[in-house]
Amino acid sequence: MAENALIAESREGTGKGPARRLRMTGRIPAVVYGRKRASRAITVNPEALAKVLHGVAGMNTLIDLSVAGSSTTVLVKHLQRDPVRGRYLHADFYEVDLTQKVTVSVAIHLKGKAAGIEMGGILDHPLRELLIECLVSEIPQSIDVDVSALAVNESIHVSDLVLAPGLTIKTEGSLAVASVVLPAAEEVAEPVVAEGAVAEGEAAPAAEGAAAGKTDAKAAPKAEEKGGKGDKGDKKK
């Protein structure tokens, strides 16, 4: 594992103050524990750690950690990053026994083009990682799942997966890894008619009282006009 070698140094002092001063020197605080040994406070170069984890295995990379001339095989158990810049702030290393099994998360990669896509379906990939138990030396870089035979409304579940000998799945078997579903139909909203507005095709209702008043006002002058003419005729006579 020469390409995954990482040199660490012992450190003294814990807390925010010492950690902040340490980061100012270009290193980060870390701890290494496991195999029934007490945890040790160490420091590592964050750039060197990033280079080691840059491979396909990522966090599952076996690292040959050297501290004060003594080497041990470790996995990164936890990695704290700056929420804004993404740089490493702290690392936890777990010392592993190459003869003992561990439980790790492995990325799921989908392969092939699902048959249901040609029928208008959409490939959904809800489960991105799989928990497996295996020897440290047998941790796979990824779990490949072939979805080419997947039709519309069909799914591949965790229980359908077949892994290599020595790999035991710890994830719940009923969970769906991938599915082909039809896109949801868009709902057309019905037009909303505001209170008092007139919908297309409907007659406008007369305003209560107002329409009647208007009609009476127009009719009154005509009646008066007729009556007036009659009066004039009487006078002529």
Side-chain angles (χ1 to χ4, degrees), residues 110-122:
L110 303 185
K111 297 179 63 178
K113 182 178 180 180
I117 293 179
E118 298 293 337
M119 303 173 63
I122 298 174

Side-chain angles (χ1 to χ4, degrees), residues 51-68:
K51 185 177 180 180
V52 170
L53 298 179
H54 187 66
V56 179
M59 293 280 285
N60 289 331
T61 301
L62 289 176
I63 301 174
D64 186 6
L65 186 68
S66 178
V67 185

Side-chain angles (χ1 to χ4, degrees), residues 40-79:
R40 289 172 289 170
I42 60 174
T43 73
V44 296
N45 184 320
E47 294 182 359
L49 177 59
K51 185 177 180 180
V52 170
L53 298 179
H54 187 66
V56 179
M59 293 280 285
N60 289 331
T61 301
L62 289 176
I63 301 174
D64 186 6
L65 186 68
S66 178
V67 185
S70 177
S71 297
T72 185
T73 303
V74 299
L75 286 169
V76 177
K77 196 70 173 178
H78 179 71
L79 194 58

